[in-house]
Amino acid sequence: MLALIAGTGFDRFLKPEEEKIVETPFGSRVIYKIQAQDQSFYYLPRHGLDHSVAPHLINYRANLWALKDLGVDKVLSLCAVGSLNKDFKPGNFVAVKDILDFTKGRTSTFYDGQDRDLKHLDVSNLYSKSMVQEIKNFFSQRPESFQEGIYVCTEGPRFETAAEIKFYQMIGGDLVGMTGSPEVFLARELSMNYASLALVTNFCTGVASDSIEFVSSFDQYQDLIESLLSYLSRKNIP
Ligand code: HPA
């Protein structure tokens, strides 16, 4: 079963139908069901339906635990990102191929030796290659561009300074967002396949101009996202 975790912007047009309340050791979660082109999926708006939960306050452990509990084995994350790289322009879709984690105070594991045994996650294959390949196949039949890049996760909720952005460029980052960590690590700790598709909404501070300017409408991507969900759920992804 496929679940979609949708971030800023994408959560505006996905309309939940049914809801399930799932109890987890980290608190209860409401997980929704949505339909796209006759297929149904679990759906979790990362910042809440009213978009009120800041990136550093998201209960990531409860989110991922609840999805696992419902039998989810594949998670597609959708997120809005800033770009550090002039080749990745506002309006471009980019699959995340690796992550540089600059978050600070987030609990990033289920296995810290307290309630569960200590484990050290192997992060050599974080993002599902087979899911990314299917996303690539999907985009090959469409006019929108598709690229792959390295995601820098910041603590937020503030945006980055120009000096921070220069540093992230120097160490090889392409995109900046605030929610990729610990989401991907927790999904992998629970052995779920995870892929993250980012939409570039702006060039980061100081990249193209001194201020940040956002592309305005996400609604134009509704058909694309629904077709992608339906495409992925019809594929037999290992
Ligand atoms: N920085 C961090 N997160 C973001 C940005 C950004 O410029 N744009 C969208 N999410």
Side-chain angles (χ1 to χ4, degrees):
M1 181 81 178
L2 176 70
L4 174 71
I5 304 183
T8 305
F10 294 104
D11 43 11
R12 265 189 247 153
F13 57 74
L14 294 162
K15 298 280 171 267
E17 287 165 7
E18 192 188 320
E19 61 179 55
K20 283 185 186 290
I21 297 179
V22 185
E23 300 299 331
T24 81
F26 315 99
S28 66
R29 291 281 87 180
V30 183
I31 308 289
Y32 301 94
K33 270 206 157 166
I34 53 169
Q35 293 260 342
Q37 302 183 348
D38 294 335
Q39 308 277 335
S40 60
F41 317 90
Y42 286 117
Y43 168 57
L44 182 54
R46 201 181 266 122
H47 301 279
L49 274 188
D50 57 354
H51 200 84
S52 61
V53 187
H56 63 299
L57 298 178
I58 291 171
N59 190 342
Y60 293 96
R61 288 192 301 173
N63 285 353
L64 277 301
W65 194 279
L67 293 179
K68 180 73 182 182
D69 202 59
L70 289 171
V72 168
D73 59 352
K74 292 180 277 291
V75 177
L76 175 67
S77 144
L78 290 177
C79 55
V81 293
S83 170
L84 302 168
N85 181 331
K86 288 226 169 114
D87 291 338
F88 298 161
K89 299 181 176 50
N92 288 177
F93 280 93
V94 186
V96 177
K97 60 180 180 189
D98 209 342
I99 184 167
L100 290 160
D101 184 6
F102 283 89
T103 59
K104 293 167 187 163
R106 306 180 186 183
T107 308
S108 60
T109 180
F110 293 109
Y111 300 106
D112 59 3
Q114 313 248 317
D115 294 327
R116 278 158 292 278
D117 289 346
L118 172 63
K119 283 189 198 164
H120 300 282
L121 180 71
D122 175 353
V123 292
S124 47
N125 279 303
L126 268 185
Y127 297 92
S128 163
K129 288 202 169 61
S130 41
M131 282 180 80
V132 171
Q133 184 57 49
E134 288 300 349
I135 296 171
K136 202 171 181 173
N137 295 347
F138 169 83
F139 274 97
S140 70
Q141 300 160 18
R142 298 198 50 111
E144 294 85 3
S145 77
F146 172 82
Q147 292 144 292
E148 291 177 58
I150 295 183
Y151 175 106
V152 178
C153 193
T154 60
E155 183 66 7
R158 68 165 176 84
F159 289 114
E160 305 73 36
T161 66
E164 286 167 337
I165 291 301
K166 213 178 262 177
F167 169 68
Y168 297 144
Q169 283 171 326
M170 283 166 59
I171 60 171
D174 298 306
L175 314 163
V176 185
M178 302 175 189
T179 55
S181 170
E183 200 171 86
V184 63
F185 303 117
L186 295 170
R188 297 300 299 137
E189 280 191 344
L190 297 178
S191 304
M192 292 186 280
N193 286 316
Y194 183 98
S196 185
L197 182 64
L199 174 67
V200 178
T201 54
N202 59 285
F203 282 118
C204 292
T205 315
V207 173
S209 64
D210 290 342
S211 58
I212 295 186
E213 287 160 35
F214 290 92
V215 296
S216 54
S217 167
F218 278 81
D219 298 343
Q220 63 185 296
Y221 304 115
Q222 177 161 359
D223 280 353
L224 182 149
I225 297 304
E226 288 183 355
S227 305
L228 173 63
L229 283 170
S230 154
Y231 180 89
L232 287 179
S233 72
R234 281 185 274 109
K235 295 284 163 185
N236 197 5
I237 300 169

